[in-house]
Amino acid sequence: MIRGAGSFLKELVEELAGEVVLTVVACLAVAGLALAFVREWERGPLVTVGVGGSLLAFLGYGGWELLRPAKPGRRGRLAGAAATAAAVAAVFIAYAWSCDCS
């Protein structure tokens, strides 16, 4: 019984630590993106809008690749990278949404 409680506590602590790490990374990513956006907007708004639009298009393409029906042999390297980036961005957005780092 003591071993069961010990493994339960170990798993609980690991999950809490993982949640904390993901939340901190998401908050730092949001802060870093905000800082980069503000600094680059001062240098050149047109370039900032272009890069932001390109990034959104890439993530949108990845989301489309994730949601459309899979056919064997159709997904290439770019599609796989876009799908992975969209999935990672979705996880970061979910954690950053609950971030109280204002």
Side-chain angles (χ1 to χ4, degrees), residues 85-95:
V88 169
V91 168
F92 272 174
I93 288 170
Y95 276 96

Side-chain angles (χ1 to χ4, degrees), residues 10 19 21 26 32 34 39 46 51 59-60 75 78 88 91 93 102:
K10 179 183 174 195
E19 289 283 331
V21 167
R39 292 196 64 177
L46 186 61
V51 169
L59 291 175
R75 183 173 286 179
L78 179 64
V88 169
V91 168
I93 288 170
S102 54

Side-chain angles (χ1 to χ4, degrees), residues 1-10:
M1 183 165 155
I2 292 176
R3 285 186 186 176
S7 68
F8 171 76
L9 287 175
K10 179 183 174 195

